[in-house]
Amino acid sequence: MTRIVEWDRKELGLYRDEVLDVYAAAMEVPPSSARTRRPIISSHLERNGLRAIAATDDDGQLVGIAYGYVGERGQWWHDQVRRALSAEVANRWLDGAFEVCELHVRPSLQRTGLGRALLDRLLDGPPAPTAILTTPDRETRARAFYRGGGWVDLVRDLVFPGDPRAFAVLGKDLHA
Ligand SMILES: CC(C)(COP(=O)(O)OP(=O)(O)OC[C@H]1O[C@@H](n2cnc3c(N)ncnc32)[C@H](O)[C@@H]1OP(=O)(O)O)[C@@H](O)C(=O)NCCC(=O)NCCS
């Protein structure tokens, strides 16, 4: 049976490699390339409003993860997204928003409702009016998943420095 638990900052730090192994499996990239993201998770551990929700199987293995925090100016991702939004849209959607950093489910458990359960739990409670995330701007599983969950496109075709892919910025009203 799959078990869903909330992790504190210390646990997220402790299980960084397991999180990146789930990321690698879900994104279909080699675990060694996913592990290069370790410093990114480390840099998130002290962020304001950090929440992490983990799913484990009967053997205690991590099978899904969702985490995020309340973003602020001066943080790389936040500033990149702010630059892409009009002042009005940034004011409505980005100021004080809960930023969803990672949401990944092992392929064998995808389409079983686990992604939805992790995200619902993650967004149930952060002291934020909205949630925001970026995802590749293609017809991926994630795109269909977010659309079904009530997320709306705020900007399309956003390119981050050092990454040739186009991203979409999605927002969700947490008080709707
Ligand atoms: C995106 C992801 C987290 C979704 O998790 P999941 O556990 O497979 O999704 P769920 O089973 O909770 O799906 C909930 C709903 O989302 C939609 N959905 C999910 N996967 C879908 C797909 N492949 N195609 C179409 N709709 C999909 C459906 O409406 C689904 O409900 P239904 O199964 O009753 O039709 C998962 O596919 C994943 O880890 N993908 C790779 C990593 C990734 O892209 N993460 C997001 C990065 S921004």
Side-chain angles (χ1 to χ4, degrees):
M1 208 181 68
T2 309
R3 196 165 155 256
I4 295 184
V5 291
E6 181 156 1
W7 277 350
D8 60 20
R9 296 169 195 273
K10 205 172 143 203
E11 287 165 312
L12 180 60
L14 205 59
Y15 296 116
R16 267 172 298 195
D17 290 341
E18 286 78 359
V19 167
L20 291 171
D21 288 348
V22 172
Y23 170 100
M27 298 299 277
E28 297 164 346
V29 298
S32 56
S33 100
R35 295 265 175 118
T36 62
R37 297 174 62 86
R38 207 168 191 268
I40 300 179
I41 301 185
S42 304
S43 74
H44 294 162
L45 293 176
E46 294 309 318
R47 295 226 165 144
N48 189 24
L50 181 76
R51 296 194 78 206
I53 310 295
T56 54
D57 67 12
D58 285 338
D59 301 325
Q61 295 297 311
L62 190 68
V63 291
I65 180 71
Y67 87 84
Y69 53 80
V70 178
E72 289 165 20
R73 288 175 199 258
Q75 296 167 352
W76 185 83
W77 186 92
H78 181 98
D79 290 346
Q80 293 290 331
V81 170
R82 183 173 290 280
R83 235 171 264 146
L85 304 177
S86 68
E88 191 189 339
V89 174
N91 180 267
R92 161 79 175 89
W93 291 98
L94 186 61
D95 291 343
F98 186 81
E99 298 177 1
V100 177
C101 297
E102 304 282 356
L103 172 65
H104 299 292
V105 171
R106 280 203 182 271
S108 59
L109 285 167
Q110 288 179 10
R111 269 338 259 277
T112 65
L114 186 53
R116 179 78 65 231
L118 287 168
L119 190 56
D120 284 353
R121 177 93 177 259
L122 184 68
L123 298 181
D124 180 18
T130 56
I132 193 160
L133 58 81
T134 46
T135 190
D137 196 1
R138 291 182 289 112
E139 273 313 308
T140 58
R141 286 163 285 176
R143 209 83 164 83
F145 168 83
Y146 290 124
R147 200 176 296 119
W151 292 75
V152 295
D153 286 1
L154 302 179
V155 163
R156 300 196 55 183
D157 238 352
L158 170 63
V159 177
F160 289 99
D163 190 335
R165 296 173 299 169
F167 284 81
V169 182
L170 273 53
K172 182 165 174 156
D173 189 338
L174 298 182
H175 294 157

PDB file of all heavy atoms in Angstrom, residues 45-78:
ATOM      1  N   LEU A  45      16.332  24.211   0.970  1.00  0.00           N
ATOM      2  CA  LEU A  45      15.983  23.654   2.282  1.00  0.00           C
ATOM      3  C   LEU A  45      15.631  24.693   3.342  1.00  0.00           C
ATOM      4  O   LEU A  45      14.876  24.398   4.256  1.00  0.00           O
ATOM      5  CB  LEU A  45      17.104  22.742   2.790  1.00  0.00           C
ATOM      6  CG  LEU A  45      17.306  21.462   1.970  1.00  0.00           C
ATOM      7  CD1 LEU A  45      18.500  20.665   2.481  1.00  0.00           C
ATOM      8  CD2 LEU A  45      16.040  20.607   1.989  1.00  0.00           C
ATOM      9  N   GLU A  46      16.174  25.904   3.198  1.00  0.00           N
ATOM     10  CA  GLU A  46      15.890  26.934   4.213  1.00  0.00           C
ATOM     11  C   GLU A  46      14.824  27.917   3.742  1.00  0.00           C
ATOM     12  O   GLU A  46      14.605  28.945   4.384  1.00  0.00           O
ATOM     13  CB  GLU A  46      17.175  27.683   4.580  1.00  0.00           C
ATOM     14  CG  GLU A  46      18.216  26.814   5.297  1.00  0.00           C
ATOM     15  CD  GLU A  46      17.626  26.056   6.487  1.00  0.00           C
ATOM     16  OE1 GLU A  46      16.832  26.652   7.237  1.00  0.00           O
ATOM     17  OE2 GLU A  46      17.949  24.858   6.627  1.00  0.00           O
ATOM     18  N   ARG A  47      14.191  27.646   2.628  1.00  0.00           N
ATOM     19  CA  ARG A  47      13.243  28.635   2.085  1.00  0.00           C
ATOM     20  C   ARG A  47      11.967  28.734   2.924  1.00  0.00           C
ATOM     21  O   ARG A  47      11.516  27.758   3.524  1.00  0.00           O
ATOM     22  CB  ARG A  47      12.920  28.298   0.633  1.00  0.00           C
ATOM     23  CG  ARG A  47      14.201  28.437  -0.208  1.00  0.00           C
ATOM     24  CD  ARG A  47      13.992  29.178  -1.469  1.00  0.00           C
ATOM     25  NE  ARG A  47      15.297  29.549  -2.001  1.00  0.00           N
ATOM     26  CZ  ARG A  47      15.602  29.573  -3.286  1.00  0.00           C
ATOM     27  NH1 ARG A  47      14.699  29.259  -4.179  1.00  0.00           N
ATOM     28  NH2 ARG A  47      16.797  29.960  -3.682  1.00  0.00           N
ATOM     29  N   ASN A  48      11.396  29.913   2.847  1.00  0.00           N
ATOM     30  CA  ASN A  48      10.188  30.246   3.584  1.00  0.00           C
ATOM     31  C   ASN A  48       9.025  29.336   3.148  1.00  0.00           C
ATOM     32  O   ASN A  48       8.804  29.146   1.956  1.00  0.00           O
ATOM     33  CB  ASN A  48       9.876  31.718   3.237  1.00  0.00           C
ATOM     34  CG  ASN A  48       8.793  32.271   4.074  1.00  0.00           C
ATOM     35  OD1 ASN A  48       8.540  31.785   5.182  1.00  0.00           O
ATOM     36  ND2 ASN A  48       8.123  33.292   3.568  1.00  0.00           N
ATOM     37  N   GLY A  49       8.315  28.798   4.100  1.00  0.00           N
ATOM     38  CA  GLY A  49       7.104  28.031   3.786  1.00  0.00           C
ATOM     39  C   GLY A  49       7.363  26.704   3.102  1.00  0.00           C
ATOM     40  O   GLY A  49       6.461  26.158   2.465  1.00  0.00           O
ATOM     41  N   LEU A  50       8.580  26.170   3.236  1.00  0.00           N
ATOM     42  CA  LEU A  50       8.900  24.896   2.567  1.00  0.00           C
ATOM     43  C   LEU A  50       7.971  23.785   3.056  1.00  0.00           C
ATOM     44  O   LEU A  50       7.759  23.618   4.258  1.00  0.00           O
ATOM     45  CB  LEU A  50      10.350  24.497   2.864  1.00  0.00           C
ATOM     46  CG  LEU A  50      10.816  23.200   2.196  1.00  0.00           C
ATOM     47  CD1 LEU A  50      11.099  23.420   0.713  1.00  0.00           C
ATOM     48  CD2 LEU A  50      12.053  22.645   2.879  1.00  0.00           C
ATOM     49  N   ARG A  51       7.384  23.059   2.092  1.00  0.00           N
ATOM     50  CA  ARG A  51       6.570  21.881   2.425  1.00  0.00           C
ATOM     51  C   ARG A  51       6.966  20.762   1.483  1.00  0.00           C
ATOM     52  O   ARG A  51       7.180  20.996   0.284  1.00  0.00           O
ATOM     53  CB  ARG A  51       5.078  22.137   2.224  1.00  0.00           C
ATOM     54  CG  ARG A  51       4.501  23.193   3.110  1.00  0.00           C
ATOM     55  CD  ARG A  51       2.981  23.130   3.069  1.00  0.00           C
ATOM     56  NE  ARG A  51       2.479  22.039   3.896  1.00  0.00           N
ATOM     57  CZ  ARG A  51       1.308  21.431   3.696  1.00  0.00           C
ATOM     58  NH1 ARG A  51       0.542  21.762   2.670  1.00  0.00           N
ATOM     59  NH2 ARG A  51       0.909  20.476   4.501  1.00  0.00           N
ATOM     60  N   ALA A  52       7.042  19.541   2.008  1.00  0.00           N
ATOM     61  CA  ALA A  52       7.375  18.394   1.170  1.00  0.00           C
ATOM     62  C   ALA A  52       6.451  17.243   1.532  1.00  0.00           C
ATOM     63  O   ALA A  52       6.224  16.958   2.705  1.00  0.00           O
ATOM     64  CB  ALA A  52       8.831  17.984   1.393  1.00  0.00           C
ATOM     65  N   ILE A  53       5.891  16.601   0.506  1.00  0.00           N
ATOM     66  CA  ILE A  53       4.997  15.463   0.705  1.00  0.00           C
ATOM     67  C   ILE A  53       5.597  14.268  -0.034  1.00  0.00           C
ATOM     68  O   ILE A  53       5.924  14.367  -1.231  1.00  0.00           O
ATOM     69  CB  ILE A  53       3.579  15.754   0.135  1.00  0.00           C
ATOM     70  CG1 ILE A  53       3.039  17.113   0.626  1.00  0.00           C
ATOM     71  CG2 ILE A  53       2.628  14.625   0.495  1.00  0.00           C
ATOM     72  CD1 ILE A  53       2.777  17.217   2.115  1.00  0.00           C
ATOM     73  N   ALA A  54       5.752  13.167   0.689  1.00  0.00           N
ATOM     74  CA  ALA A  54       6.411  11.992   0.115  1.00  0.00           C
ATOM     75  C   ALA A  54       5.464  10.806   0.105  1.00  0.00           C
ATOM     76  O   ALA A  54       4.628  10.655   0.995  1.00  0.00           O
ATOM     77  CB  ALA A  54       7.639  11.650   0.963  1.00  0.00           C
ATOM     78  N   ALA A  55       5.601   9.956  -0.919  1.00  0.00           N
ATOM     79  CA  ALA A  55       4.825   8.710  -0.976  1.00  0.00           C
ATOM     80  C   ALA A  55       5.804   7.542  -0.960  1.00  0.00           C
ATOM     81  O   ALA A  55       6.787   7.540  -1.718  1.00  0.00           O
ATOM     82  CB  ALA A  55       3.984   8.668  -2.249  1.00  0.00           C
ATOM     83  N   THR A  56       5.529   6.575  -0.083  1.00  0.00           N
ATOM     84  CA  THR A  56       6.411   5.406  -0.001  1.00  0.00           C
ATOM     85  C   THR A  56       5.586   4.132  -0.221  1.00  0.00           C
ATOM     86  O   THR A  56       4.374   4.110   0.019  1.00  0.00           O
ATOM     87  CB  THR A  56       7.102   5.321   1.381  1.00  0.00           C
ATOM     88  OG1 THR A  56       6.102   5.360   2.397  1.00  0.00           O
ATOM     89  CG2 THR A  56       8.089   6.452   1.588  1.00  0.00           C
ATOM     90  N   ASP A  57       6.283   3.071  -0.678  1.00  0.00           N
ATOM     91  CA  ASP A  57       5.586   1.797  -0.885  1.00  0.00           C
ATOM     92  C   ASP A  57       5.749   0.910   0.357  1.00  0.00           C
ATOM     93  O   ASP A  57       6.298   1.334   1.380  1.00  0.00           O
ATOM     94  CB  ASP A  57       6.059   1.117  -2.178  1.00  0.00           C
ATOM     95  CG  ASP A  57       7.519   0.666  -2.113  1.00  0.00           C
ATOM     96  OD1 ASP A  57       8.097   0.675  -1.000  1.00  0.00           O
ATOM     97  OD2 ASP A  57       8.068   0.298  -3.163  1.00  0.00           O
ATOM     98  N   ASP A  58       5.301  -0.347   0.233  1.00  0.00           N
ATOM     99  CA  ASP A  58       5.342  -1.279   1.378  1.00  0.00           C
ATOM    100  C   ASP A  58       6.744  -1.491   1.922  1.00  0.00           C
ATOM    101  O   ASP A  58       6.932  -1.779   3.101  1.00  0.00           O
ATOM    102  CB  ASP A  58       4.784  -2.644   0.952  1.00  0.00           C
ATOM    103  CG  ASP A  58       3.274  -2.583   0.836  1.00  0.00           C
ATOM    104  OD1 ASP A  58       2.679  -1.688   1.461  1.00  0.00           O
ATOM    105  OD2 ASP A  58       2.711  -3.425   0.104  1.00  0.00           O
ATOM    106  N   ASP A  59       7.744  -1.376   1.022  1.00  0.00           N
ATOM    107  CA  ASP A  59       9.139  -1.583   1.454  1.00  0.00           C
ATOM    108  C   ASP A  59       9.776  -0.293   1.962  1.00  0.00           C
ATOM    109  O   ASP A  59      10.980  -0.251   2.218  1.00  0.00           O
ATOM    110  CB  ASP A  59       9.980  -2.120   0.284  1.00  0.00           C
ATOM    111  CG  ASP A  59       9.418  -3.427  -0.237  1.00  0.00           C
ATOM    112  OD1 ASP A  59       8.911  -4.206   0.587  1.00  0.00           O
ATOM    113  OD2 ASP A  59       9.459  -3.642  -1.470  1.00  0.00           O
ATOM    114  N   GLY A  60       8.989   0.764   2.025  1.00  0.00           N
ATOM    115  CA  GLY A  60       9.529   2.033   2.506  1.00  0.00           C
ATOM    116  C   GLY A  60      10.270   2.798   1.421  1.00  0.00           C
ATOM    117  O   GLY A  60      10.902   3.827   1.693  1.00  0.00           O
ATOM    118  N   GLN A  61      10.200   2.295   0.162  1.00  0.00           N
ATOM    119  CA  GLN A  61      10.883   2.992  -0.936  1.00  0.00           C
ATOM    120  C   GLN A  61      10.077   4.207  -1.368  1.00  0.00           C
ATOM    121  O   GLN A  61       8.838   4.147  -1.427  1.00  0.00           O
ATOM    122  CB  GLN A  61      11.023   2.062  -2.156  1.00  0.00           C
ATOM    123  CG  GLN A  61      11.918   0.864  -1.920  1.00  0.00           C
ATOM    124  CD  GLN A  61      13.352   1.274  -1.630  1.00  0.00           C
ATOM    125  OE1 GLN A  61      13.932   2.089  -2.350  1.00  0.00           O
ATOM    126  NE2 GLN A  61      13.896   0.753  -0.542  1.00  0.00           N
ATOM    127  N   LEU A  62      10.788   5.295  -1.694  1.00  0.00           N
ATOM    128  CA  LEU A  62      10.107   6.497  -2.164  1.00  0.00           C
ATOM    129  C   LEU A  62       9.552   6.263  -3.576  1.00  0.00           C
ATOM    130  O   LEU A  62      10.290   5.857  -4.480  1.00  0.00           O
ATOM    131  CB  LEU A  62      11.103   7.660  -2.187  1.00  0.00           C
ATOM    132  CG  LEU A  62      10.508   9.041  -2.427  1.00  0.00           C
ATOM    133  CD1 LEU A  62       9.655   9.471  -1.232  1.00  0.00           C
ATOM    134  CD2 LEU A  62      11.604  10.067  -2.677  1.00  0.00           C
ATOM    135  N   VAL A  63       8.260   6.520  -3.760  1.00  0.00           N
ATOM    136  CA  VAL A  63       7.649   6.303  -5.085  1.00  0.00           C
ATOM    137  C   VAL A  63       7.077   7.601  -5.666  1.00  0.00           C
ATOM    138  O   VAL A  63       6.742   7.660  -6.845  1.00  0.00           O
ATOM    139  CB  VAL A  63       6.559   5.208  -5.047  1.00  0.00           C
ATOM    140  CG1 VAL A  63       7.192   3.839  -4.808  1.00  0.00           C
ATOM    141  CG2 VAL A  63       5.490   5.506  -4.002  1.00  0.00           C
ATOM    142  N   GLY A  64       6.978   8.638  -4.848  1.00  0.00           N
ATOM    143  CA  GLY A  64       6.478   9.916  -5.351  1.00  0.00           C
ATOM    144  C   GLY A  64       6.895  11.031  -4.413  1.00  0.00           C
ATOM    145  O   GLY A  64       7.081  10.807  -3.210  1.00  0.00           O
ATOM    146  N   ILE A  65       7.049  12.224  -4.978  1.00  0.00           N
ATOM    147  CA  ILE A  65       7.472  13.359  -4.149  1.00  0.00           C
ATOM    148  C   ILE A  65       6.882  14.649  -4.712  1.00  0.00           C
ATOM    149  O   ILE A  65       6.768  14.805  -5.938  1.00  0.00           O
ATOM    150  CB  ILE A  65       9.020  13.458  -4.097  1.00  0.00           C
ATOM    151  CG1 ILE A  65       9.498  14.633  -3.232  1.00  0.00           C
ATOM    152  CG2 ILE A  65       9.618  13.551  -5.508  1.00  0.00           C
ATOM    153  CD1 ILE A  65       9.282  14.469  -1.759  1.00  0.00           C
ATOM    154  N   ALA A  66       6.493  15.522  -3.835  1.00  0.00           N
ATOM    155  CA  ALA A  66       6.060  16.870  -4.232  1.00  0.00           C
ATOM    156  C   ALA A  66       6.620  17.823  -3.195  1.00  0.00           C
ATOM    157  O   ALA A  66       6.537  17.550  -1.996  1.00  0.00           O
ATOM    158  CB  ALA A  66       4.530  16.959  -4.235  1.00  0.00           C
ATOM    159  N   TYR A  67       7.243  18.907  -3.646  1.00  0.00           N
ATOM    160  CA  TYR A  67       7.645  19.913  -2.659  1.00  0.00           C
ATOM    161  C   TYR A  67       7.663  21.302  -3.277  1.00  0.00           C
ATOM    162  O   TYR A  67       7.690  21.459  -4.504  1.00  0.00           O
ATOM    163  CB  TYR A  67       8.963  19.549  -1.980  1.00  0.00           C
ATOM    164  CG  TYR A  67      10.240  19.985  -2.663  1.00  0.00           C
ATOM    165  CD1 TYR A  67      10.754  21.261  -2.477  1.00  0.00           C
ATOM    166  CD2 TYR A  67      10.945  19.115  -3.478  1.00  0.00           C
ATOM    167  CE1 TYR A  67      11.928  21.658  -3.088  1.00  0.00           C
ATOM    168  CE2 TYR A  67      12.123  19.500  -4.093  1.00  0.00           C
ATOM    169  CZ  TYR A  67      12.614  20.781  -3.897  1.00  0.00           C
ATOM    170  OH  TYR A  67      13.773  21.177  -4.519  1.00  0.00           O
ATOM    171  N   GLY A  68       7.624  22.303  -2.410  1.00  0.00           N
ATOM    172  CA  GLY A  68       7.659  23.689  -2.865  1.00  0.00           C
ATOM    173  C   GLY A  68       7.797  24.613  -1.673  1.00  0.00           C
ATOM    174  O   GLY A  68       7.955  24.166  -0.535  1.00  0.00           O
ATOM    175  N   TYR A  69       7.751  25.908  -1.943  1.00  0.00           N
ATOM    176  CA  TYR A  69       7.947  26.915  -0.885  1.00  0.00           C
ATOM    177  C   TYR A  69       7.344  28.229  -1.350  1.00  0.00           C
ATOM    178  O   TYR A  69       6.941  28.357  -2.526  1.00  0.00           O
ATOM    179  CB  TYR A  69       9.445  27.080  -0.568  1.00  0.00           C
ATOM    180  CG  TYR A  69      10.274  27.349  -1.796  1.00  0.00           C
ATOM    181  CD1 TYR A  69      10.336  28.610  -2.356  1.00  0.00           C
ATOM    182  CD2 TYR A  69      10.962  26.309  -2.429  1.00  0.00           C
ATOM    183  CE1 TYR A  69      11.059  28.850  -3.507  1.00  0.00           C
ATOM    184  CE2 TYR A  69      11.687  26.532  -3.580  1.00  0.00           C
ATOM    185  CZ  TYR A  69      11.735  27.823  -4.111  1.00  0.00           C
ATOM    186  OH  TYR A  69      12.433  28.043  -5.265  1.00  0.00           O
ATOM    187  N   VAL A  70       7.297  29.195  -0.464  1.00  0.00           N
ATOM    188  CA  VAL A  70       6.797  30.529  -0.831  1.00  0.00           C
ATOM    189  C   VAL A  70       7.993  31.331  -1.366  1.00  0.00           C
ATOM    190  O   VAL A  70       8.959  31.571  -0.629  1.00  0.00           O
ATOM    191  CB  VAL A  70       6.140  31.231   0.372  1.00  0.00           C
ATOM    192  CG1 VAL A  70       5.684  32.637  -0.020  1.00  0.00           C
ATOM    193  CG2 VAL A  70       4.948  30.406   0.873  1.00  0.00           C
ATOM    194  N   GLY A  71       7.919  31.686  -2.639  1.00  0.00           N
ATOM    195  CA  GLY A  71       9.061  32.337  -3.293  1.00  0.00           C
ATOM    196  C   GLY A  71       9.179  33.810  -2.946  1.00  0.00           C
ATOM    197  O   GLY A  71       8.233  34.436  -2.434  1.00  0.00           O
ATOM    198  N   GLU A  72      10.354  34.344  -3.229  1.00  0.00           N
ATOM    199  CA  GLU A  72      10.627  35.758  -2.953  1.00  0.00           C
ATOM    200  C   GLU A  72      11.509  36.329  -4.046  1.00  0.00           C
ATOM    201  O   GLU A  72      12.255  35.585  -4.688  1.00  0.00           O
ATOM    202  CB  GLU A  72      11.390  35.886  -1.619  1.00  0.00           C
ATOM    203  CG  GLU A  72      10.564  35.595  -0.409  1.00  0.00           C
ATOM    204  CD  GLU A  72      11.415  35.376   0.843  1.00  0.00           C
ATOM    205  OE1 GLU A  72      12.586  35.822   0.855  1.00  0.00           O
ATOM    206  OE2 GLU A  72      10.900  34.759   1.775  1.00  0.00           O
ATOM    207  N   ARG A  73      11.463  37.656  -4.170  1.00  0.00           N
ATOM    208  CA  ARG A  73      12.384  38.336  -5.082  1.00  0.00           C
ATOM    209  C   ARG A  73      13.816  38.029  -4.661  1.00  0.00           C
ATOM    210  O   ARG A  73      14.081  37.865  -3.465  1.00  0.00           O
ATOM    211  CB  ARG A  73      12.177  39.847  -5.015  1.00  0.00           C
ATOM    212  CG  ARG A  73      10.892  40.312  -5.673  1.00  0.00           C
ATOM    213  CD  ARG A  73      10.749  41.806  -5.432  1.00  0.00           C
ATOM    214  NE  ARG A  73       9.379  42.239  -5.624  1.00  0.00           N
ATOM    215  CZ  ARG A  73       8.944  42.861  -6.715  1.00  0.00           C
ATOM    216  NH1 ARG A  73       9.778  43.124  -7.702  1.00  0.00           N
ATOM    217  NH2 ARG A  73       7.688  43.229  -6.815  1.00  0.00           N
ATOM    218  N   GLY A  74      14.706  37.987  -5.645  1.00  0.00           N
ATOM    219  CA  GLY A  74      16.110  37.697  -5.350  1.00  0.00           C
ATOM    220  C   GLY A  74      16.421  36.214  -5.538  1.00  0.00           C
ATOM    221  O   GLY A  74      17.580  35.820  -5.506  1.00  0.00           O
ATOM    222  N   GLN A  75      15.383  35.374  -5.704  1.00  0.00           N
ATOM    223  CA  GLN A  75      15.600  33.950  -5.982  1.00  0.00           C
ATOM    224  C   GLN A  75      15.554  33.762  -7.500  1.00  0.00           C
ATOM    225  O   GLN A  75      14.686  34.331  -8.178  1.00  0.00           O
ATOM    226  CB  GLN A  75      14.521  33.100  -5.292  1.00  0.00           C
ATOM    227  CG  GLN A  75      14.607  33.206  -3.771  1.00  0.00           C
ATOM    228  CD  GLN A  75      13.384  32.653  -3.055  1.00  0.00           C
ATOM    229  OE1 GLN A  75      12.377  32.302  -3.668  1.00  0.00           O
ATOM    230  NE2 GLN A  75      13.469  32.611  -1.732  1.00  0.00           N
ATOM    231  N   TRP A  76      16.467  32.958  -8.016  1.00  0.00           N
ATOM    232  CA  TRP A  76      16.687  32.874  -9.465  1.00  0.00           C
ATOM    233  C   TRP A  76      15.402  32.559 -10.238  1.00  0.00           C
ATOM    234  O   TRP A  76      15.007  33.293 -11.142  1.00  0.00           O
ATOM    235  CB  TRP A  76      17.765  31.820  -9.750  1.00  0.00           C
ATOM    236  CG  TRP A  76      18.146  31.754 -11.188  1.00  0.00           C
ATOM    237  CD1 TRP A  76      19.049  32.556 -11.833  1.00  0.00           C
ATOM    238  CD2 TRP A  76      17.631  30.852 -12.179  1.00  0.00           C
ATOM    239  NE1 TRP A  76      19.118  32.206 -13.168  1.00  0.00           N
ATOM    240  CE2 TRP A  76      18.266  31.162 -13.404  1.00  0.00           C
ATOM    241  CE3 TRP A  76      16.697  29.813 -12.155  1.00  0.00           C
ATOM    242  CZ2 TRP A  76      18.000  30.473 -14.580  1.00  0.00           C
ATOM    243  CZ3 TRP A  76      16.433  29.130 -13.336  1.00  0.00           C
ATOM    244  CH2 TRP A  76      17.078  29.458 -14.527  1.00  0.00           C
ATOM    245  N   TRP A  77      14.736  31.466  -9.878  1.00  0.00           N
ATOM    246  CA  TRP A  77      13.535  31.040 -10.623  1.00  0.00           C
ATOM    247  C   TRP A  77      12.453  32.114 -10.523  1.00  0.00           C
ATOM    248  O   TRP A  77      11.827  32.478 -11.525  1.00  0.00           O
ATOM    249  CB  TRP A  77      13.044  29.706 -10.054  1.00  0.00           C
ATOM    250  CG  TRP A  77      11.908  29.082 -10.812  1.00  0.00           C
ATOM    251  CD1 TRP A  77      12.002  28.184 -11.831  1.00  0.00           C
ATOM    252  CD2 TRP A  77      10.497  29.308 -10.589  1.00  0.00           C
ATOM    253  NE1 TRP A  77      10.735  27.842 -12.270  1.00  0.00           N
ATOM    254  CE2 TRP A  77       9.800  28.509 -11.525  1.00  0.00           C
ATOM    255  CE3 TRP A  77       9.763  30.097  -9.708  1.00  0.00           C
ATOM    256  CZ2 TRP A  77       8.410  28.475 -11.595  1.00  0.00           C
ATOM    257  CZ3 TRP A  77       8.370  30.069  -9.781  1.00  0.00           C
ATOM    258  CH2 TRP A  77       7.705  29.264 -10.713  1.00  0.00           C
ATOM    259  N   HIS A  78      12.256  32.618  -9.325  1.00  0.00           N
ATOM    260  CA  HIS A  78      11.225  33.635  -9.075  1.00  0.00           C
ATOM    261  C   HIS A  78      11.480  34.864  -9.957  1.00  0.00           C
ATOM    262  O   HIS A  78      10.558  35.391 -10.589  1.00  0.00           O
ATOM    263  CB  HIS A  78      11.258  34.010  -7.590  1.00  0.00           C
ATOM    264  CG  HIS A  78      10.234  35.017  -7.195  1.00  0.00           C
ATOM    265  ND1 HIS A  78       9.039  34.665  -6.612  1.00  0.00           N
ATOM    266  CD2 HIS A  78      10.217  36.373  -7.308  1.00  0.00           C
ATOM    267  CE1 HIS A  78       8.329  35.759  -6.375  1.00  0.00           C
ATOM    268  NE2 HIS A  78       9.030  36.802  -6.788  1.00  0.00           N
TER     269      HIS A  78
END
